[in-house]
Amino acid sequence: MHSGNSKPLDMAVDVVIIGAGPSGAIAASLLHKAGKRVLVLERQHFPRFSIGESLLPCCMNFIEEAGMLEAVNAAGFQFKNGAAFRRNGAYTTFDFTDKFTAGHGTTFQVQRGNFDKLLADTAEAQGVEIRYGHTVERIDISGKPSLFVSTEAGDSYQVEAEFMLDASGFGRVLPRLLDLERPSNLPSRMAIFTHVEDNISDANFDRNKILISVHPEHKDIWYWLIPFSNGRCSLGVVAEPHLLARLDGSLEDKLMQVVREEPGLKALLKDAVVVQQCAELKGYSANVSQLASDKFALLGNAGEFLDPVFSSGVTIAMQSASLAARTLLKQLNGEQVDWESEYAKPLMTGVNCFRTYVQAWYEGTFQEVIFFENPNPTIKQMICSILAGYAWDTENPFVKESQRRLNMVVELCREAKAEAQGMA
């Protein structure tokens, strides 16, 4: 493929994957297992901090598919069996084992640095080559995809591949280099977050669930509290920037000030100690003009990121990795593939389902459903499936007709509430 004076790092592979995070590791594992030559290029060194610590049970299906379940189960991560929601004193939970869709019903809450490294290390142990500290600088797709890569040591080299997968997350390497980036139709929001030594003494606090709390005055300001197995929690707040502009001081000052405005969190975290520098993420929702072609596919956040509210990011990433690997194997094996109908559209089925509930959460209508006191058990199971990550199960009416079904159940909740108030 290359001339005799090629540098030692130059190579030709079946698939090059940009990024060794969850989608990159899963895709690499699946493709390697099918006998394809895979190279993963990762700009950073692992472990490295990443936000998005609350997995959904649906993730476990992809972890199992990639032969990584045993390693993940043995790693000592915090067990997770559901989600808890709190607003103005009202508290409700969803048990992910009591859901409409078949499949894993429990998962873990993870510190992503350790989790991502575990997946990448497991892929390497399976035989995948990962090059850390290597940055993709330029791409040529006029013929077979060629990637021009630089190393921390100052070397540069070229990789030629039959296909590229972009698993670079918020790095969004291919969208930047191929001019695919497009604005999201979701409002611009920001998150401020950190890790705390939580020192929670409340015996009623359930460490097996993510806790999502709503600001007492602003329904579109919400908080996450994700317990880990080491006595720490991930803590963050999400809002449109103007709603946080009233806060003064450093990021830590702002975060802890707005946390104290929610009475439940204020009580839970009265003895908490911040153990990691606070960070912020602005305007994180993203979109692209094209998810895939016969030369590349975008995985997870590299393609589209919605919002952290239902922890859908890693699930979408892993779903995209599995779906892209399956489609790509057909192409590499000589079959004709339509990436739009076989990858992009199926992937967007779940993304658009999540989008329905994300938008309805901020509008407040989905919050009416979440906090309804006497939910229909079957409807709750169907919604629970989506909260557990099974947003691609079109047997579930709340996936197949997400907006219509949600509108219907919101109306039922309002009618029941009005009837109860009329009888009072």
Side-chain angles (χ1 to χ4, degrees):
M1 185 61 66
H2 299 284
S3 61
N5 60 0
S6 294
K7 298 169 187 172
L9 287 171
D10 284 2
M11 67 186 302
V13 294
D14 293 316
V15 186
V16 64
I17 299 176
I18 306 169
S23 64
I26 295 283
S29 171
L30 295 174
L31 292 164
H32 174 79
K33 192 160 55 173
K36 304 306 175 185
R37 190 170 185 204
V38 181
L39 174 66
V40 181
L41 302 172
E42 170 56 56
R43 181 173 56 88
Q44 296 179 290
H45 290 273
F46 285 14
R48 51 88 178 99
F49 178 81
S50 181
I51 202 66
E53 301 98 340
S54 193
L55 305 182
L56 300 182
C58 184
C59 293
M60 305 304 284
N61 297 293
F62 306 117
I63 291 169
E64 185 172 21
E65 183 185 9
M68 299 177 175
L69 189 60
E70 186 178 349
V72 170
N73 282 338
F77 296 123
Q78 172 64 50
F79 178 75
K80 176 182 176 183
N81 61 13
F85 296 84
R86 183 167 50 208
R87 183 183 70 177
N88 289 325
Y91 179 84
T92 189
T93 62
F94 283 77
D95 175 357
F96 288 160
T97 66
D98 186 18
K99 59 179 172 38
F100 174 82
T101 306
H104 287 272
T106 64
T107 185
F108 298 101
Q109 294 169 159
V110 300
Q111 288 174 287
R112 283 284 304 280
N114 298 334
F115 176 74
D116 291 7
K117 186 176 188 305
L118 176 67
L119 296 190
D121 287 352
T122 305
E124 277 192 303
Q126 294 172 349
V128 172
E129 180 180 356
I130 302 179
R131 295 180 177 178
Y132 291 97
H134 288 220
T135 301
V136 177
E137 304 287 357
R138 185 165 64 85
I139 288 168
D140 180 0
I141 56 171
S142 57
K144 284 186 178 181
S146 290
L147 296 86
F148 300 86
V149 186
S150 65
T151 74
E152 292 172 329
D155 296 317
S156 60
Y157 64 97
Q158 184 176 343
V159 179
E160 189 172 278
E162 301 295 323
F163 201 87
M164 300 180 293
L165 292 174
D166 187 350
S168 62
F170 289 120
R172 296 170 66 75
V173 172
L174 289 187
R176 280 190 297 104
L177 295 178
L178 299 179
D179 191 28
L180 303 173
E181 293 193 289
R182 296 296 181 270
S184 170
N185 59 2
L186 293 171
S188 179
R189 297 188 175 93
M190 68 179 291
I192 305 175
F193 50 88
T194 188
H195 285 182
V196 299
E197 194 79 43
D198 60 75
N199 296 309
I200 293 173
S201 56
D202 185 344
N204 293 319
F205 179 61
D206 188 351
R207 299 193 74 89
N208 295 336
K209 293 177 176 64
I210 181 177
L211 174 63
I212 295 175
S213 304
V214 182
H215 191 281
E217 295 174 26
H218 302 281
K219 70 177 184 297
D220 48 355
I221 297 179
W222 66 274
Y223 313 79
W224 75 72
L225 188 65
I226 304 169
F228 301 134
S229 58
N230 61 356
R232 295 185 174 184
C233 281
S234 174
L235 170 67
V237 64
V238 176
E240 291 185 36
H242 71 92
L243 293 172
L244 300 179
R246 60 193 168 80
L247 305 171
D248 298 319
S250 65
L251 282 180
E252 183 177 328
D253 293 334
K254 291 177 179 179
L255 176 59
M256 299 319 289
Q257 183 182 330
V258 76
V259 163
R260 287 191 292 271
E261 292 174 0
E262 203 289 297
L265 279 182
K266 180 181 178 182
L268 271 181
L269 297 175
K270 60 182 176 20
D271 298 318
V273 178
V274 173
V275 292
Q276 181 158 313
Q277 185 174 2
C278 284
E280 64 180 346
L281 197 57
K282 292 181 178 177
Y284 46 72
S285 297
N287 207 342
V288 289
S289 60
Q290 183 180 11
L291 276 174
S293 74
D294 61 353
K295 296 181 180 181
F296 71 85
L298 310 180
L299 308 183
N301 295 353
E304 178 152 7
F305 182 71
L306 297 173
D307 192 272
V309 66
F310 301 125
S311 307
S312 62
V314 177
T315 304
I316 292 172
M318 290 186 177
Q319 173 76 44
S320 66
S322 175
L323 188 56
R326 198 177 319 141
T327 308
L328 178 53
L329 285 172
K330 289 173 63 177
Q331 178 171 308
L332 292 175
N333 291 335
E335 294 183 47
Q336 194 69 34
V337 167
D338 180 341
W339 279 91
E340 179 65 22
S341 64
E342 295 182 55
Y343 174 70
K345 283 184 178 176
L347 180 62
M348 292 308 295
T349 295
V351 172
N352 288 331
C353 174
F354 278 127
R355 188 197 313 277
T356 297
Y357 295 96
V358 166
Q359 290 175 325
W361 170 267
Y362 286 103
E363 292 163 1
T365 51
F366 192 38
Q367 292 186 31
E368 291 182 53
V369 176
I370 292 283
F371 291 103
F372 185 64
E373 288 185 6
N374 298 298
N376 175 292
T378 302
I379 291 175
K380 184 167 184 177
Q381 286 175 335
M382 291 175 176
I383 290 172
C384 189
S385 283
I386 295 163
L387 295 178
Y390 293 93
W392 289 265
D393 176 17
T394 53
E395 297 296 309
N396 183 347
F398 284 81
V399 170
K400 189 174 183 180
E401 305 174 303
S402 55
Q403 191 63 63
R404 190 177 81 82
R405 291 286 178 161
L406 180 58
N407 291 343
M408 180 189 76
V409 78
V410 167
E411 207 51 50
L412 288 173
C413 289
R414 289 175 177 173
E415 287 173 6
K417 197 171 179 181
E419 186 177 337
Q421 289 172 341
M423 292 172 61

